[in-house]
Amino acid sequence: MKSLKCLLWLLLPFTTAAQQYRPTWESLDSRPVPAWFENAKFGIFIHWGVYSVPAWAPKGVYAEWYQYWLQSKRVGGNNNPKPTAVYDHHAKVYGADFSYYQFADMFKAEDFDPDAWAKLFEKSGAKYIVLTSKHHDGFALWPSKEASKAFSTPWNAMDAGAKRDLLGDLTAAVRKTPVKMGFYYSLYEWYNPLYKNKQYKEYVNGHMIPQLKDLVNRYEPDIIWPDGEWEQSDTLWQSREFLTWLYNESPVKDKIAVNDRWGKGMRQKHGGYYTTEYEVGAKFARPWEECRGMGFSFGYNRNEDIEDYNSAQSLIYLLLDIVSSGGNLLLDIGPDAQGKIPPIMQERLLQIGKWLDVNGEAIYNTRAWKTHVQWSAGRQDWKPPHGGYVSGEVMLKQTVDPDPGYARKEFFFTAKGDTVYAIAPILPEGKLLIRDVLPTAGTKVQLLGLKQNLPFKKVNGGIEVTVPRLSVKETPCEHAFAFKITGAKAI
């Protein structure tokens, strides 16, 4: 008995620690966002599902909302398209009587090579991915018995189409690399019979929570990324109760990162890290993440053309703007129904990866510095010409192609210990003034990718660095150039 008491006493601290979070936002918000997430900086979003079969929407519109646009005959988006545009397209191509649910058998993913995907993600420099386990249409990429039961038809990737655990296969492939694995999960479903008939309690208890716990217990992800939260309160979704289980009892309680989409009005108030979507210029005191597609859609939209895609240059500047403000970029790709990642998306990822091969030191494991950018002379209040979702191409107007009278961002700053990185969109030549940086006796200045120290001197308001003239072969990379300043202080 004495030995048993000793054993219980030894286990007590661990038991107490495992039950430390309570189902209140005050308690749940006190859990730190895992350090790995704040260090990662760059992730890849993947929207892939039944909507990848039609893969169509008017430009400026989310193609993954195909079912909703089709059945509601109401299309919303950046460019005010015709309300029946998707319905009209569907009727013309498939016939008005062709049900969205018939696309499930066409979602075969016959060319899906999870190891090739994982290899691409690693080459891109991304440190984590977030795959749509289930979007608002309710179709699950894993063998979820709840999905097929709810719709009374094969409605997961194992029961229909691919006849394969797509989510599980990709998870296994990604786990062979250093990249972390996360899952997007829509809390609500447009046409789930229980939800549609306002049987919310039955929907949450018998469908949503079992699915979420199945994902966590079966695949042990690094991220749970909820969405579709905006129609109901966190109380109806039982978000606090689920997070209490996730943080205290689940197999991922010590590593899991979550976002802020847990109920109506919750974004940027409660949860884990904060999120923005197709925005430019955000900044928060808490770890945060901007998510966006390479074009205007998350799901693959074959109606988009080359000019609808962000250039590698603008995506790199966007990454710099976000990281210098303390955030992460979650950049989306939309594979097609056959399981191929469109070549333009592969190219963009590889271009970012090539830049990170040289400059990753100035991105990964860094934090926002005292000042996140250095402006040139001129107005700093330039705004895109329209509201709504903002293309990453606006970064060109803030960096290399400003309108007359407007300032441009000369440097983006990041920091790591006593090292400051000043990252220039344009490679300077000759005398370079970096403001608000105070050199010390041990300061050195280097251009990442160039194996030599650069001469500098302390001047009023900062340091003046002499940058040599470089040939094309000597220039370390394209688009942005990171100056590493060691032993520096902020003025």
Side-chain angles (χ1 to χ4, degrees), residues 86 140 148 198 206 222 308 360 448 475-476:
V86 171
S148 293
K198 299 185 179 180
D222 298 290
D308 299 306
L448 294 185
T475 303

Side-chain angles (χ1 to χ4, degrees), residues 11 60 243:
L11 290 173
L243 288 172

Side-chain angles (χ1 to χ4, degrees), residues 315-359:
L315 291 173
I316 289 169
Y317 293 165
L318 187 69
L319 175 66
L320 291 173
D321 197 52
I322 291 166
V323 172
S324 67
S325 298
N328 289 15
L329 172 61
L330 184 63
L331 182 63
D332 182 78
I333 60 172
D336 64 24
Q338 290 72 44
K340 297 294 289 185
I341 298 170
I344 189 171
M345 297 182 186
Q346 295 185 44
E347 181 184 49
R348 293 292 183 268
L349 292 180
L350 292 173
Q351 288 169 323
I352 294 170
K354 184 178 180 182
W355 185 86
L356 285 168
D357 282 343
V358 175
N359 300 286

Side-chain angles (χ1 to χ4, degrees), residues 86-390:
V86 171
Y87 176 84
D88 295 341
H89 167 83
H90 185 86
K92 178 182 177 181
V93 176
Y94 304 102
D97 294 330
F98 187 94
S99 167
Y100 179 80
Y101 297 96
Q102 292 176 258
F103 284 131
D105 284 331
M106 300 169 68
F107 181 52
K108 295 185 181 297
E110 63 269 24
D111 296 327
F112 174 48
D113 183 344
D115 288 314
W117 282 29
K119 185 176 180 181
L120 173 66
F121 301 153
E122 187 175 10
K123 282 185 176 181
S124 77
K127 298 301 182 183
Y128 62 100
I129 69 167
V130 177
L131 171 69
T132 46
S133 68
K134 182 204 75 170
H135 204 259
H136 310 323
D137 61 3
F139 185 87
L141 293 192
W142 83 103
S144 167
K145 63 180 185 295
E146 290 85 9
S148 293
K149 178 183 176 182
F151 290 88
S152 301
T153 189
W155 204 237
N156 69 61
M158 184 65 81
D159 292 343
K163 304 289 186 181
R164 182 176 178 182
D165 182 358
L166 300 175
L167 182 148
D169 289 350
L170 183 59
T171 299
V174 169
R175 292 253 161 88
K176 298 174 187 175
T177 74
V179 180
K180 294 187 180 295
M181 186 76 196
F183 304 138
Y184 166 109
Y185 179 89
S186 177
L187 299 184
Y188 90 135
E189 297 170 6
W190 292 311
Y191 301 108
N192 181 294
L194 290 174
Y195 191 87
K196 188 178 177 182
N197 293 325
K198 299 185 179 180
Q199 295 174 268
Y200 299 136
K201 186 174 181 179
E202 293 84 352
Y203 173 83
V204 172
N205 289 328
H207 182 78
M208 189 194 90
I209 295 297
Q211 277 192 327
L212 275 170
K213 287 190 173 182
D214 185 35
L215 277 173
V216 171
N217 288 324
R218 192 191 296 232
Y219 303 105
E220 300 189 8
D222 298 290
I223 295 176
I224 289 291
W225 210 102
D227 190 32
E229 84 293 355
W230 53 81
E231 281 201 353
Q232 306 294 343
S233 70
D234 62 299
T235 300
L236 187 144
W237 294 132
Q238 297 184 24
S239 296
R240 282 167 286 142
E241 291 78 8
F242 173 75
L243 288 172
T244 303
W245 171 82
L246 189 68
Y247 293 169
N248 291 342
E249 302 175 41
S250 78
V252 296
K253 57 184 170 50
D254 296 323
K255 70 172 184 176
I256 194 74
V258 302
N259 71 12
D260 56 352
R261 302 185 178 196
W262 293 101
K264 188 176 183 178
M266 292 286 104
R267 295 188 191 188
Q268 300 167 18
K269 294 180 181 177
H270 296 297
Y273 57 87
Y274 292 169
T275 60
T276 59
E277 190 168 319
Y278 279 90
E279 293 184 25
V280 170
K283 192 173 184 179
F284 303 98
R286 191 171 179 84
W288 64 280
E289 175 189 77
E290 156 72 8
C291 67
R292 63 169 55 229
M294 293 183 180
F296 282 104
S297 177
F298 285 106
Y300 176 51
N301 185 0
R302 53 194 173 89
N303 198 32
E304 290 184 333
D305 296 305
I306 185 69
E307 65 268 17
D308 299 306
Y309 282 81
N310 287 255
S311 64
Q313 183 181 24
S314 65
L315 291 173
I316 289 169
Y317 293 165
L318 187 69
L319 175 66
L320 291 173
D321 197 52
I322 291 166
V323 172
S324 67
S325 298
N328 289 15
L329 172 61
L330 184 63
L331 182 63
D332 182 78
I333 60 172
D336 64 24
Q338 290 72 44
K340 297 294 289 185
I341 298 170
I344 189 171
M345 297 182 186
Q346 295 185 44
E347 181 184 49
R348 293 292 183 268
L349 292 180
L350 292 173
Q351 288 169 323
I352 294 170
K354 184 178 180 182
W355 185 86
L356 285 168
D357 282 343
V358 175
N359 300 286
E361 177 185 338
I363 301 298
Y364 306 125
N365 306 309
T366 62
R367 295 296 182 268
W369 196 50
K370 170 192 171 184
T371 305
H372 90 276
V373 298
Q374 175 175 310
W375 289 93
S376 67
R379 293 175 57 182
Q380 299 177 12
D381 59 348
W382 185 89
K383 298 289 184 185
H386 59 78
Y389 297 134
V390 180

